[in-house]
Amino acid sequence: MGGEWGQSDICPESSQEWTIQVGQDLLDMDLGAITKYSALHAKPNGLILQYGTAGFRTKAEHLDHVMFRMGLLAVLRSKQTKSTIGVMVTASHNPEEDNGVKLVDPLGEMLAPSWEEHATCLANAEEQDMQRVLIDISEKEAVNLQQDAFVVIGRDTRPSSEKLSQSVIDGVTVLGGQFHDYGLLTTPQLHYMVYCRNTGGRYGKATIEGYYQKLSKAFVELTKQASCSGDEYRSLKVDCANGIGALKLREMEHYFSQGLSVQLFNDGSKGKLNHLCGADFVKSHQKPPQGMEIKSNERCCSFDGDADRIVYYYHDADGHFHLIDGDKIATLISSFLKELLVEIGESLNIGVVQTAYANGSSTRYLEEVMKVPVYCTKTGVKHLHHKAQEFDIGVYFEANGHGTALFSTAVEMKIKQSAQLEDKKRKAAKMLENIIDLFNQAAGDAISDMLVIEAILALKGLTVQQWDALYTDLPNRQLKVQVADRRVISTTNAERQAVTPPGLQEAINDLVKKYKLSRAFVRPSGTEDVVRVYAEADSQESADHLAHEVSLAVFQLAGGIGERPQPGF
Ligand SMILES: CC(=O)N[C@H]1[C@@H](OP(=O)(O)O)O[C@H](CO)[C@@H](O)[C@@H]1O
Ligand SMILES: [Mg+2]
């Protein structure tokens, strides 16, 4: 995982005379108090962490200082944006012993890139440099320290999360920020709270009740219109990864029970968080979670540890496992939305955003059958989210099940005018209005996505097998390779081609040529200290061979350490 020990080369040194430049309002920061409290959350000497794809993540025992400092940073960001900022304590699908933290920007989005750099500098500053770094950030970002600050905090169910979120609160308070601690929340619920608070309640009420009511009302309205409402459509098995999703789904289920009954598994009452269960396990092992009994053709889904990802699956009559991942979820959602737009008769544009991990069959189906434009961005939802904002309706999903749909103000305006439309169009517009309310537009959300999917399946009268049959995934394999320094690999073209080290891309090109319908790429992970390898081909055997051969090329050309990658999985 992310933690490294050594010298930080990330933060520029500022001038020795910085004290002279400090304006009067900077001195208003109670620097003495910061130093005093910071010592209580001391940084282990030499520990260096990087704000990665999903914030900071490492072993929980190394994170106390990071939490305190992210409390400080959230206050500065709140003052600068004159908005509420969120801080979420979670390590999502990573093991229970890990933890992590990420900041949520005013519209529920991921932290802006320049502030990610500040986060890294602040987290890595040695005690004696803390004041300087804080002042540097305030100066660079022209933070008005007189401004009020408000921070909202949420945490997952990890044993370490409560204490770590208290350290965030310490950081917020020492810089004079106000806060609201929501306690246990899913990550997307915290994003929702931030979005609500910064849009004057227009998006919804910033309470857990407000979240449950908004989504459930939309879901119940939608499913009322479904003509197929047999039991088959009304029950779903949910693997909650022994995480926060179980608590929140249990609280919420009675709000929507007239439209759907959920049966919860891995609800945290006995098993360990993310252990042999959850969306990440199911997607990467391509097998069902432990602790869930699946009868043939039953519709099942898995959340990850902080409930921002979801994948579906079922066993066919022969007992074969079928995974329905984020790509197929995006396909179902975008085809439904496209049909609604056609019915309403509006020429609004719709686009689907994926990453290099999207299965080749999904991209082909979307482009060639559905005639929907598809775009590829770098891994990490912030990239997909950003791209999706360019469309009237932007649907984005990572193959691992993290995603949502975004709707522009143009769409919302058109729907408002729908009262003047003829009957059939009005019905479609009403449906679209409810679907918009059902999506969490601040972030990918397992609970919200689950309800969207369930509503669409019911409205279209689709079984899980019919959904799965939209297209057939190309067999694929993902592997990890250990190297001394994964930064030796740099990529371009939305991570689909390696630029360095020299010779690596040429080697991959030669290997790919040996297989049919094949594709492969490598990239350094943003959340683990590994290089990820992805390969797909016309058969599982070929995909496995190709992935193995590419792993060997990485090992040889990018400074592999430990044992050479072995064939077989
Ligand atoms: C291949 C893969 O699934 N990568 C995941 C993983 O990122 P990496 O940078 O690959 O470690 O964690 C991210 C955060 O949860 C998620 O956004 C991303 O999709
Ligand atoms: Mg997650």
Side-chain angles (χ1 to χ4, degrees), residues 95-97 159 241-243 266 268-278:
E96 189 166 285
E97 300 70 34
N242 290 316
N266 300 319
S269 52
K270 27 184 207 299
K272 217 174 161 186
L273 179 68
N274 297 323
H275 183 60
L276 305 175
C277 61

Side-chain angles (χ1 to χ4, degrees), residues 57 90-93 102 187-188 304-309 402:
R57 274 191 206 172
T90 181
S92 183
H93 59 280
K102 69 179 178 191
T187 296
D304 74 336
D306 62 341
D308 63 357
R309 290 193 204 173
H402 190 151

Side-chain angles (χ1 to χ4, degrees), residues 345-492:
E346 289 294 350
S347 59
L348 293 161
N349 69 35
I350 180 165
V352 176
V353 187
Q354 305 185 316
T355 70
Y357 291 99
N359 195 278
S361 294
S362 74
T363 314
R364 199 167 312 123
Y365 180 85
L366 284 161
E367 285 177 336
E368 291 172 15
V369 181
M370 282 181 47
K371 312 273 185 230
V372 171
V374 181
Y375 299 83
C376 184
T377 69
K378 288 195 219 167
T379 303
V381 276
K382 64 178 176 211
H383 301 293
L384 291 104
H385 190 96
H386 192 69
K387 184 72 194 170
Q389 284 172 325
E390 291 176 14
F391 307 93
D392 290 324
I393 299 182
V395 179
Y396 73 83
F397 268 87
E398 291 191 305
N400 61 30
H402 190 151
T404 187
L406 306 180
F407 302 86
S408 71
T409 40
V411 178
E412 305 209 357
M413 296 283 284
K414 297 263 160 131
I415 288 172
K416 286 213 180 81
Q417 296 152 9
S418 69
Q420 292 111 45
L421 296 175
E422 62 192 70
D423 258 16
K424 192 165 165 246
K425 288 187 176 178
R426 200 166 51 231
K427 194 173 161 213
K430 186 76 203 153
M431 237 181 231
L432 187 55
E433 192 176 11
N434 281 320
I435 280 275
I436 294 175
D437 276 348
L438 192 47
F439 272 112
N440 185 339
Q441 291 192 60
D445 182 334
I447 294 180
S448 144
D449 289 338
M450 175 190 86
L451 294 175
V452 167
I453 292 162
E454 291 299 314
I456 296 177
L457 293 179
L459 285 163
K460 290 180 69 81
L462 279 178
T463 63
V464 70
Q465 300 87 334
Q466 287 167 327
W467 173 22
D468 187 32
L470 287 178
Y471 60 82
T472 307
D473 276 324
L474 279 171
N476 57 88
R477 180 64 62 192
Q478 247 194 76
L479 295 175
K480 299 177 188 181
V481 184
Q482 300 280 347
V483 296
D485 180 0
R486 66 192 195 278
R487 288 174 300 182
V488 300
I489 296 192
S490 61
T491 61
T492 185

